[in-house]
Amino acid sequence: MAEAIFELFRGNREGGQPATYRVPIAPGMVVLDALLYIQAHLAFDLAVRWNCKAGKCGSCSAEVNGRPRLTCKTRMDSLPLEKPITVHPMKAFPVIKDLVTDVSWNYRVNKKIPPFEPRPGSEWKMYQEDVDRVQEFRKCIECFLCQNVCHVLREHDKVEQFAGPRFFVRVAALEMHPLDSKSRTRMLKDELGIGLCNITKCCTEVCPEEIHITDNAIIPLKERIVDEFYDPVLMLVRKIRGAKQELS
Amino acid sequence: MTTEYEIHDHDVLIIGAGGAGLRAALGALSQGAKVGVVCKSLLGKAHTVMAEGGIAAAMANVDPADDWRTHFRDTMRGGKLLNNWRMAQIHAHEAPDRVRELEQWGALFDRTPDGQILQRAFGGHTFRRLCHVGDRTGLEMIRTLQDRGVQLGIDVYMECTITRLLKDGDRVAGAFGYWREQGRFALFRAKSIVIATGGIGKAWKITSNSWEYTGDGMALAYDAGAELMDMEFVQFHPTGMVWPPGVQGILVTEAVRGEGGVLRNKLGKRFMEQYDPKKMELSTRDVVARAIYTEVREGRGTEHAGAYLDISQKPADYVKKKLPSMYHQFKELADVDITKGPMEVGPTCHYMMGGIRVDAETAKSSVRGLFAAGEAAAGLHGANRLGGNSLSDLLVFGHRAGLAAAEHAKAVRATPIDSAQVAEAAREILAPFERKAGESPYTIHRDLQETMQSLVGIFRDQADLIRALEDLEKLKDRAEHVSVEGSRLFNPAWHLTQDLRSMLTVSEAVTRSALARQESRGAHSRIDYPGLDAVWGTKNSVVVRKGDTMTLHQSPVPEMPSDLRQLVAEEK
């Protein structure tokens, strides 16, 4: 039977080293199958996070041959087998053990975002063409691969100033919801640091749900910020309107 | 041994963070309770996320003739009248409100041309009834509930396993467990506990369920003295993937058939004509699963022992729009383009109709202060669940369980924790580390899956079930001697030893109940008793712990009021 050689990161917060395992290959096998094989036969305490094994929950993110992937959707027959397949934990997050990382920061960022707030007196009529765009954003399975690959987080570790692509997608879903009444643009600019994104599209490339993160979420949000805070004409209009309101 | 643990106090503790758990949390929160939610995975990864087809609710947006009565009748008939009628009535009544509420919390369903929530056809439902978002309805639901819960201030304890409920006399006092990440102990004191831990599919080899589905909540409740009911009714979903081997069992949504998908055998024949000519592919799941199984057994199966499911007669764009995850799933995992050719599918262990016996109105179990909702609870679905009735179940009874648990918490005072129970629970958790040179939990789990798959599957008979019970005794004995190595830091082998105990308990309950029921009804098919039996139709199986022994008895199915009985009997 054909075999693949795996080189996995084994270790914890203090450090670690690669360990090598040989795994028999079956037709249609994915990398997660191999990891679970290693766990059941060769390294009982190998830490791997996974749930659905069907690309729907976003738990099994890792870096396969240096590329951030969902291991449940990475077919073995898409990888060269003449050299070891390396599997490492996501680099942008602290390692807990082996392939499992501490992603709790994402949950803390999420908590800051003001939730959906429907317009008072909404009749809850919405048309498909108005919700299509938002439905694209709501496909997100929170695998955090976009966060992992974003250089603002991965290279520059700006976790205090920058929310990351996942949460720009979430804000975009709220801002573009046909019945939402709240504005989150100031927050995007001041607290979530969207200005630090220089649209290299790394996030879009790794998204397993094929969400057009940069084009459909981040760029339109950046445009809203420009309109609201930097457009001279609109600023003038607002000043006049604001002045009027103050007078009345 | 001194046991160190952290302590958390809540009015209402919810175990499980899927649809039922999160909806219960919101319900309890609305009553001013201090709510904690414990879950084995990260928040938002629970099994609900995999629900695809939709939420059944008689909103009549697409078919104006639909109403709660028809939904009630469909549910009762689908469950072969073994359902708790009151639960089925409440469910049909309240599901539309629960769906509207989700929309008001930010969920975005697919729309009708006039701007309402779109509804699709599904097996066993008379009308187009399933509110949906493409084929990722569960994700939409869990994200909506999760975001709202976090904003409103529930405490979430992620990646934490509860191994024991603590009691004070006849009532629950708390729960004990450990953090999966660091392995440290945690004690949760609570006045009310809601079990919302979902199902048990991981005891079978071919299953659509994730590793979490090990029946923990049912086993916890059983150990605490609660009754389990209808445990023989395990749903095999007709359409799981069968090829390649690594993806065997992964769900292929019923929405494929709801959107017009057709089943054929290798001879090209639409075989459902023989099994249910009226409803064809949209017959109930028990019927379609048995049909596919039978076609394969009689030599008319596909290359990889399944049936063909074909939606390629629909326009490619339509398929991609309505079934996007199916399109990607087959393209990426099986090299099949479902817009061009058929999928190969076969039955996969999917859902547990049985579970913790609860009161219809309040979701309370037979143990004071202990509640249960969703798949972990029994009653709504009877002998067979209709597709789409699970997500609505989670919402309707999650909500009710949360309200009742908060009410209960208001009425009682916190109760002291018995340190002897805590010490015993801690000892039990660590025991696999103490034993040396025992067996690995992975081999025991694999053998359990083989036993349940081959002996307690779609078709059952007495000899197989007796053999299964003998196997289970041996497996229990092996599990007593399981050992693990390494540290307590994120150690999956150790985690599996805890899950194994739950799986063995529920597997035994399933097998004993299946052996007792000498008839075929819904998802329970006995080769040696192939027909419905009128007397068995009046009985639910109930499993309860007496000392260290699992006992089984029958309890009368609650009798329907005459107006509802008439409604169910009407020819429609």
Side-chain angles (χ1 to χ4, degrees), chain B residues 70-110:
Chain B
T70 321
H71 192 184
F72 169 78
R73 181 172 56 220
D74 290 344
T75 301
M76 292 299 296
R77 284 184 178 181
K80 301 291 179 283
L81 304 187
L82 216 63
N83 328 48
N84 178 311
W85 65 267
R86 181 60 186 142
M87 284 177 88
Q89 187 186 33
I90 290 172
H91 168 253
H93 258 300
E94 295 181 3
D97 279 347
R98 296 287 84 79
V99 172
R100 278 189 277 271
E101 205 168 57
L102 275 189
E103 180 165 78
Q104 287 158 16
W105 296 341
L108 274 180
F109 293 96
D110 287 356

Side-chain angles (χ1 to χ4, degrees), chain A residues 44 46 49-51 53 56-57 73 75 97 107 111 113 126 128 132 135 138 141-142 170, chain B residues 41 43 45 52 110-111 115 140 144 147 151 159 210-212 246 321 329 332 335 442 489 492:
Chain A
F44 297 155
L46 172 68
R49 211 183 249 133
W50 68 286
N51 273 58
K53 209 175 116 35
K56 295 190 170 63
C57 77
K73 282 175 89 177
R75 290 268 296 259
K97 184 181 162 192
Y107 288 87
K111 219 171 169 168
I113 299 171
M126 287 178 267
Q128 189 60 46
D132 273 338
Q135 286 186 331
R138 290 186 68 91
I141 56 175
E142 295 202 327
R170 171 150 151 70
Chain B
S41 286
L43 184 61
K45 309 298 183 194
E52 294 165 352
D110 287 356
R111 316 307 299 180
E140 187 69 16
T144 303
D147 286 338
Q151 284 300 331
E159 300 196 310
S210 81
W211 69 265
E212 284 198 281
K321 169 79 190 157
Q329 186 171 309
E332 287 160 27
D335 300 320
Y442 297 102
L489 180 71

Side-chain angles (χ1 to χ4, degrees), chain B residues 263-435:
Chain B
L263 284 165
R264 289 198 180 86
N265 62 22
K266 78 167 178 196
L267 310 171
K269 189 176 160 41
R270 255 184 102 174
F271 55 84
M272 283 311 296
E273 279 162 7
Q274 259 150 288
Y275 300 89
D276 188 347
K278 206 169 147 203
K279 299 199 196 113
M280 296 292 284
E281 280 82 2
L282 289 181
S283 181
T284 52
R285 288 179 175 174
D286 51 337
V287 175
V288 183
R290 276 194 297 271
I292 295 176
Y293 188 92
T294 306
E295 288 298 304
V296 174
R297 199 179 45 186
E298 292 176 0
R300 295 183 296 275
T302 61
E303 187 189 349
H304 302 108
Y308 292 117
L309 174 60
D310 198 355
I311 185 83
S312 63
Q313 75 282 8
K314 294 267 174 188
D317 283 345
Y318 182 81
V319 172
K320 286 185 202 167
K321 169 79 190 157
K322 297 308 283 186
L323 303 163
S325 15
M326 288 306 107
Y327 174 74
H328 287 289
Q329 186 171 309
F330 274 89
K331 190 128 189 131
E332 287 160 27
L333 299 176
D335 300 320
V336 170
D337 182 345
I338 67 168
T339 66
K340 297 208 171 82
M343 304 159 238
E344 266 186 278
V345 295
T348 179
C349 183
H350 183 58
Y351 185 86
M352 182 56 175
M353 271 70 74
I356 300 162
R357 188 184 201 178
V358 290
D359 171 60
E361 313 282 339
T362 60
K364 71 178 180 203
S365 76
S366 50
V367 171
R368 215 148 65 91
L370 185 65
F371 302 77
E375 190 172 351
L380 169 61
H381 308 293
N384 172 61
R385 174 175 72 83
L386 298 184
N389 270 2
S390 176
L391 291 187
S392 44
D393 173 12
L394 308 185
L395 294 173
V396 168
F397 292 102
H399 169 66
R400 279 183 168 256
L403 294 183
E407 279 307 310
H408 177 82
K410 277 182 202 164
V412 300
R413 294 165 68 144
T415 179
I417 295 291
D418 172 8
S419 56
Q421 287 179 38
V422 172
E424 172 62 18
R427 193 200 56 75
E428 214 168 57
I429 295 174
L430 293 183
F433 283 117
E434 309 293 325
R435 291 187 283 262

Side-chain angles (χ1 to χ4, degrees), chain A residues 161-179:
Chain A
Q161 300 104 298
F162 188 68
R166 157 61 190 136
F167 297 105
F168 300 140
V169 166
R170 171 150 151 70
V171 171
L174 290 161
E175 290 290 294
M176 298 181 203
H177 188 299
L179 299 180

Side-chain angles (χ1 to χ4, degrees), chain B residues 10-15 20-21 23-36 171-172 190-196 359 361-365 367-373 396-413:
Chain B
H10 292 283
D11 296 322
V12 177
L13 181 74
I14 291 156
I15 307 176
R23 189 61 193 80
L26 292 171
L29 214 58
S30 73
Q31 302 304 298
K34 183 173 177 340
V35 182
R171 60 174 278 206
V172 291
K191 297 175 197 165
S192 305
I193 293 182
V194 180
I195 302 271
D359 171 60
E361 313 282 339
T362 60
K364 71 178 180 203
S365 76
V367 171
R368 215 148 65 91
L370 185 65
F371 302 77
V396 168
F397 292 102
H399 169 66
R400 279 183 168 256
L403 294 183
E407 279 307 310
H408 177 82
K410 277 182 202 164
V412 300
R413 294 165 68 144

